Amino acid sequence: MTKMATCDRLTTLFVLVLLVVSMRAHAQSDPLPTWNDGATKQAIVAFVQQTTTSGSAKFVPPEERVATFDQDGTLWVEQPIYSQVMYCLERVPAVVKAKPELANVEPFKTVMSGNRDAIAKLSKQDLEKILVATLTGMPVDQFNADVSKWLDQAKHPRWKRPYTELTYVPMQDLMKYLRANGYKTYIVTGGGQDFVRVYSQKTYGIPPEQVVGTAGGTSFGYDKSGRPFLTKMPKLLLNDDAAGKPEGIHLVIGRRPAAAFGNSTGDRQMLEYTGAGDGARLMMLVLQDDAQREYAYGPAAGLPATKVGTFTQALHDEAKKNGWFVVSMKNDWKRIFAFDP
Amino acid sequence: MTKMATCDRLTTLFVLVLLVVSMRAHAQSDPLPTWNDGATKQAIVAFVQQTTTSGSAKFVPPEERVATFDQDGTLWVEQPIYSQVMYCLERVPAVVKAKPELANVEPFKTVMSGNRDAIAKLSKQDLEKILVATLTGMPVDQFNADVSKWLDQAKHPRWKRPYTELTYVPMQDLMKYLRANGYKTYIVTGGGQDFVRVYSQKTYGIPPEQVVGTAGGTSFGYDKSGRPFLTKMPKLLLNDDAAGKPEGIHLVIGRRPAAAFGNSTGDRQMLEYTGAGDGARLMMLVLQDDAQREYAYGPAAGLPATKVGTFTQALHDEAKKNGWFVVSMKNDWKRIFAFDP
């Protein structure tokens, strides 16, 4: 090839590169395609631009770009019952099979009866017994395999789809947008840390080390062949709900988030803790106000409280007072699920 | 500029780029410049090459490249006394000033006396009282500021230098080499998680979220102006030593490390847990056998055990049996400290 021909090829290459760069810039012009235009979307985009533009008064160094997300009701459907509670209830037959003496002991007897009304009326103490029996006592690896298998089979009663398909696409878009701008996204959930870690990478692109949740102790030991393993113990180390959320954030992350997202009173302290830091902050609460496409519930939506996800009027008032944004699922989101038309 | 001239400039640019790339490759030809050639160094390089070469049978996906390091005696000097214990002892006057009634109460009375022999003889229970009094009860931010100030002033009794200058350069080189190959480096220490997080970024390039250590609970609350803050509580959540190390790794990281480094029996279970995973693994123990440049102690070096960092003969035997490498400070390391000639 002559020098001139090489030069032409180089020029073509350069033009192509420019074209690709410009196409990418265009694709990025709406970083939140599933969000309707409005104050909420503008606040997100302004926050990201201000905190990532070097020289900006609100610039946040990359290592401090931490965004925390509640899971149930913030990233995916929490009605009519938390998916993890469903897992525990559906694990009861396996537990009773392994320990047949439990078949006639409450609350296992009620769960085994399949009587939905009776199961719905189980007390908090009964539920705790079920959680302990189904979430502890087994090797960590066994638990992970059990959860993984369940997730492949279990279906939400309304949509008849796996729970992992019931994530809110606008929140997925938001997490991707934040990550594309150097933010580390964490899940901070009242749910079980080990439970959520099983699917967090696949479902949200969030690795296990970025999941903070309610955590029990484990116990190190050896199996018969001398191979070491960890057993899940019925010892609560962290109740990652309400005041436990900032405590869990300190324990696992050791940094104050710059942005935090929730949907209930269980997220109040996380948002307060996030807001108490210096510099730019973004706090948001998702309001379930879309009975048609998802659910509508809770006093802040002018509706009765339900067993899960309480968004009280007091929390709504605090959000107003503190400059937190309330995301209306109905008005702010173009689509809710990936399978929505 | 003519097309021909542009082309010449492009060619020059390409040659320059090639030159830089080749210079970098040359600079990287010895990734561990402070390590002497030998089996240990070869094992490290082989492990990194095998686990990061795509197509290799031992390839480890980037997200699973986790390497954990004990701190005291593995990354920096632990003799004659752990730096954190020194911090606690030196904090006692401030605690007594705030609570004068402690001046006549043991063990505070002994510490205030300044009698080194008496202080060295304090029981484990006494020491625990001092740890609780100096590490808990204050806001997290206050604690961080106190530790940071102490680190700026405190000096090691032998070298008369700040503790943060007493890190082993070969281990720093090793961590940089692993990070350059996509490994996430974690500190997994029996020391206090909050204590180590204060200096981990500056001293080792390890961010707070990659420090796992002995951790107490915190308590979320509000100050008089209504600003939320966390207080360090005298409630042990994780004793990150011995069996507590794999338990802590599960709690904070949620993945099994591919490589682990320690120097004492407190690291045994972490190395066992690391070694029990599938695929390529690298486990190493640093042996303090260099009385001249650092210290020599412990049965594995044919010397008496000391109060800190016990490397027993049994651990040495287990290392041999399991294919763990023992790093001789004397023979494997060209230099120990950055200030060494």
Side-chain angles (χ1 to χ4, degrees):
Chain A
M1 208 183 297
T2 66
K3 195 172 179 183
M4 209 54 209
T6 308
C7 194
D8 282 343
R9 288 178 67 125
L10 280 172
T11 309
T12 311
L13 200 72
F14 272 42
V15 170
L16 276 171
V17 166
L18 283 174
L19 199 67
V20 169
V21 168
S22 123
M23 280 166 67
R24 287 173 61 110
H26 185 75
Q28 282 170 359
S29 65
D30 186 353
L32 296 169
T34 51
W35 289 67
N36 287 316
D37 290 328
T40 319
K41 182 172 177 171
Q42 281 166 20
I44 296 169
V45 173
F47 171 80
V48 169
Q49 288 179 345
Q50 286 165 354
T51 57
T52 59
T53 304
S54 79
S56 152
K58 295 187 170 179
F59 181 75
V60 174
E63 66 274 16
E64 289 173 22
R65 292 182 198 159
V66 168
T68 56
F69 293 82
D70 167 59
Q71 187 192 215
D72 294 303
T74 299
L75 295 180
W76 76 358
V77 173
E78 63 181 350
Q79 292 287 356
I81 187 174
Y82 296 128
S83 56
Q84 187 178 351
V85 174
M86 194 64 98
Y87 169 78
C88 293
L89 291 173
E90 296 188 7
R91 274 301 293 176
V92 167
V95 169
V96 169
K97 197 178 170 191
K99 291 185 189 172
E101 67 273 20
L102 291 178
N104 291 311
V105 178
E106 290 297 354
F108 305 99
K109 195 178 167 184
T110 295
V111 177
M112 292 301 285
S113 77
N115 181 334
R116 286 191 182 195
D117 291 343
I119 293 170
K121 280 179 195 150
L122 287 174
S123 69
K124 207 183 158 191
Q125 285 73 16
D126 282 336
L127 219 50
E128 273 176 19
K129 280 182 197 164
I130 294 166
L131 298 193
V132 167
T134 54
L135 301 176
T136 70
M138 70 291 286
V140 165
D141 290 346
Q142 181 61 52
F143 174 76
N144 292 346
D146 289 343
V147 174
S148 190
K149 196 177 159 195
W150 180 81
L151 286 167
D152 285 345
Q153 300 168 344
K155 293 208 159 60
H156 188 278
R158 175 168 159 189
W159 287 278
K160 318 287 181 208
R161 288 174 178 272
Y163 290 93
T164 49
E165 288 184 18
L166 298 178
T167 70
Y168 306 144
V169 184
M171 295 306 284
Q172 295 268 16
D173 282 350
L174 172 55
M175 289 195 289
K176 281 177 200 155
Y177 177 45
L178 286 168
R179 289 197 288 258
N181 284 280
Y183 277 86
K184 237 173 156 171
T185 52
Y186 284 84
I187 291 174
V188 178
T189 174
Q193 185 166 284
D194 284 350
F195 187 82
V196 178
R197 280 174 168 174
V198 174
Y199 55 86
S200 62
Q201 178 69 53
K202 215 167 149 186
T203 307
Y204 303 113
I206 292 181
E209 62 269 27
Q210 284 164 231
V211 174
V212 185
T214 294
T218 55
S219 177
F220 179 87
Y222 305 89
D223 68 14
K224 283 173 193 164
S225 69
R227 188 176 176 272
F229 72 104
L230 294 170
T231 302
K232 285 174 67 68
M233 302 302 285
K235 183 194 167 193
L236 187 67
L237 292 187
L238 172 69
N239 181 7
D240 197 50
D241 191 39
K245 289 209 174 191
E247 293 162 11
I249 288 168
H250 178 69
L251 178 67
V252 177
I253 314 177
R255 296 184 192 268
R256 192 192 301 269
F261 305 86
N263 81 314
S264 81
T265 49
D267 302 309
R268 180 167 69 86
Q269 290 88 340
M270 175 168 75
L271 270 64
E272 289 173 346
Y273 180 66
T274 302
D278 298 328
R281 302 281 144 179
L282 182 67
M283 282 70 67
M284 288 198 166
L285 289 167
V286 172
L287 179 66
Q288 264 78 12
D289 61 356
D290 194 332
Q292 205 188 332
R293 296 188 299 174
E294 204 248 8
Y295 292 95
Y297 52 96
L303 293 161
T306 54
K307 267 200 168 182
V308 297
T310 315
F311 195 152
T312 61
Q313 188 57 46
L315 182 64
H316 202 277
D317 294 344
E318 184 173 346
K320 269 259 152 98
K321 193 185 126 225
N322 289 347
W324 303 348
F325 289 84
V326 174
V327 179
S328 162
M329 292 180 79
K330 195 173 176 177
N331 302 319
D332 284 320
W333 291 354
K334 279 186 195 162
R335 289 158 68 217
I336 293 191
F337 303 114
F339 55 80
D340 276 347
Chain B
M1 209 182 297
T2 66
K3 195 170 179 181
M4 208 55 209
T6 308
C7 194
D8 281 343
R9 287 178 68 124
L10 280 171
T11 309
T12 309
L13 202 71
F14 272 42
V15 169
L16 275 171
V17 166
L18 283 175
L19 200 66
V20 169
V21 168
S22 122
M23 280 166 69
R24 287 173 61 110
H26 185 75
Q28 282 171 359
S29 64
D30 186 355
L32 297 169
T34 50
W35 289 68
N36 288 316
D37 289 330
T40 320
K41 182 171 176 172
Q42 281 166 20
I44 296 170
V45 173
F47 171 80
V48 169
Q49 287 178 346
Q50 286 166 353
T51 58
T52 59
T53 304
S54 79
S56 152
K58 295 188 170 180
F59 182 75
V60 174
E63 66 273 16
E64 289 173 23
R65 292 182 198 159
V66 168
T68 54
F69 293 82
D70 167 58
Q71 188 194 215
D72 295 301
T74 299
L75 295 180
W76 76 357
V77 173
E78 64 181 350
Q79 293 285 358
I81 187 174
Y82 296 128
S83 57
Q84 187 178 351
V85 174
M86 194 63 98
Y87 169 79
C88 294
L89 291 172
E90 295 188 8
R91 275 300 295 175
V92 167
V95 169
V96 169
K97 197 179 170 189
K99 292 185 187 170
E101 66 274 21
L102 292 179
N104 291 310
V105 178
E106 289 298 353
F108 305 99
K109 195 177 168 185
T110 296
V111 177
M112 291 301 285
S113 76
N115 181 335
R116 287 191 180 194
D117 291 341
I119 294 170
K121 280 180 195 150
L122 287 173
S123 69
K124 208 183 158 191
Q125 285 74 16
D126 282 336
L127 218 51
E128 272 177 21
K129 280 182 197 164
I130 293 166
L131 298 193
V132 167
T134 54
L135 300 175
T136 71
M138 70 292 286
V140 165
D141 290 347
Q142 181 62 52
F143 174 76
N144 292 347
D146 289 343
V147 174
S148 191
K149 197 177 157 195
W150 180 80
L151 285 168
D152 285 345
Q153 300 167 345
K155 292 207 160 60
H156 188 279
R158 174 168 160 189
W159 286 278
K160 319 288 181 205
R161 289 173 179 272
Y163 290 92
T164 50
E165 289 186 17
L166 299 178
T167 70
Y168 307 143
V169 185
M171 295 306 285
Q172 295 269 15
D173 281 350
L174 172 55
M175 290 195 289
K176 281 178 199 155
Y177 176 46
L178 287 168
R179 289 197 289 259
N181 284 281
Y183 276 86
K184 238 172 155 172
T185 51
Y186 283 84
I187 290 173
V188 177
T189 175
Q193 185 166 284
D194 285 351
F195 187 82
V196 177
R197 279 173 169 174
V198 173
Y199 56 84
S200 61
Q201 178 68 53
K202 218 168 145 184
T203 307
Y204 303 113
I206 292 181
E209 63 269 27
Q210 284 165 229
V211 175
V212 184
T214 295
T218 56
S219 177
F220 179 86
Y222 305 89
D223 67 15
K224 283 173 192 165
S225 69
R227 188 175 176 273
F229 72 103
L230 294 170
T231 302
K232 284 173 68 67
M233 303 301 285
K235 183 194 168 194
L236 186 67
L237 292 186
L238 172 68
N239 180 9
D240 197 50
D241 191 38
K245 290 208 172 190
E247 292 163 11
I249 287 168
H250 178 70
L251 178 67
V252 177
I253 313 177
R255 294 185 193 270
R256 191 191 302 267
F261 305 86
N263 82 314
S264 81
T265 50
D267 302 310
R268 180 168 69 88
Q269 290 88 342
M270 174 169 76
L271 269 64
E272 288 174 345
Y273 181 65
T274 301
D278 298 328
R281 303 281 143 178
L282 182 67
M283 283 71 67
M284 286 196 168
L285 290 166
V286 172
L287 177 67
Q288 264 79 12
D289 61 356
D290 194 332
Q292 203 188 334
R293 296 187 299 175
E294 205 248 8
Y295 292 96
Y297 51 96
L303 294 161
T306 54
K307 267 199 167 181
V308 298
T310 314
F311 196 152
T312 60
Q313 187 57 46
L315 182 64
H316 202 277
D317 294 344
E318 184 173 348
K320 269 259 153 98
K321 191 184 125 225
N322 290 346
W324 303 348
F325 289 84
V326 174
V327 179
S328 161
M329 293 180 80
K330 195 172 175 181
N331 302 318
D332 283 319
W333 291 354
K334 278 186 194 160
R335 289 157 68 217
I336 293 191
F337 303 113
F339 54 80
D340 275 348

